[in-house]
């Protein structure tokens, strides 16, 4: 019975490590995607400013572009936070030391 419990515990640990590793990898991809969205939103904003200066665009377009940049940056921040959380869960899953901020 103790051998069965040992294998069950080991399998549970391996499963947790595998899942948290995949979550961390997924979050890393989300960061890359969010970074590209920030760049695209900023380029759109710059194009909108250029159109307004050339009297071809409306100020509303620039406001929408500013909002798109803000949304993209917020999504990037959320992706970084989620990645940090998944990294923390991975460290905990592998039994690494968790140090407090006070140390």
């Amino acid at each position: 019975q103790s051998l069965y419990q040992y294998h069950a515990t080991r399998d549970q640990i391996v499963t947790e490590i595998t899942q948290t590793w995949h979550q961390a990898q997924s979050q890393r991809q989300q960061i890359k995607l969010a970074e590209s969205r920030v760049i695209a939103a900023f380029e759109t904003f710059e194009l909108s400013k250029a159109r307004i200066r050339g009297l071809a665009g409306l100020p509303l377009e620039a406001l929408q572009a500013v909002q798109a940049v803000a949304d993209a940056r917020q999504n990037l921040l959320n992706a970084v936070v989620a990645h940090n959380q998944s990294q923390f869960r991975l460290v905990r899953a592998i039994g690494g030391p968790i140090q407090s901020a006070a140390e």
Side-chain angles (χ1 to χ4, degrees):
Q1 188 176 18
S2 63
L3 186 60
Y4 170 76
Q5 187 176 8
Y6 165 78
H7 286 294
T9 303
R10 185 190 65 187
D11 291 345
Q12 181 183 2
I13 292 169
V14 168
T15 299
E16 183 179 355
I17 291 170
T18 303
Q19 287 175 346
T20 56
W21 184 83
H22 285 291
Q23 288 171 353
Q25 296 303 313
S26 174
Q27 292 303 327
R28 184 173 295 146
Q29 292 300 321
Q30 290 296 322
I31 289 173
K32 289 179 184 177
L33 181 60
E35 286 173 340
S36 67
R37 288 179 179 166
V38 168
I39 292 168
F42 190 74
E43 288 172 354
T44 300
F45 171 68
E46 291 298 324
L47 290 173
S48 294
K49 284 193 327 186
R51 284 177 40 89
I52 290 170
R53 287 186 184 126
L55 301 176
L58 300 173
L60 181 60
E61 293 173 357
L63 290 175
Q64 289 171 335
V66 167
Q67 184 62 45
V69 170
D71 291 343
R73 286 181 174 173
Q74 183 64 47
N75 289 338
L76 176 58
L77 177 62
N78 292 341
V80 169
V81 168
H83 180 261
N84 289 345
Q85 290 171 337
S86 65
Q87 289 289 89
F88 181 82
R89 285 190 299 272
L90 181 59
V91 168
R92 187 192 60 77
I94 62 173
I98 307 296
Q99 298 177 352
S100 69
E103 293 180 17

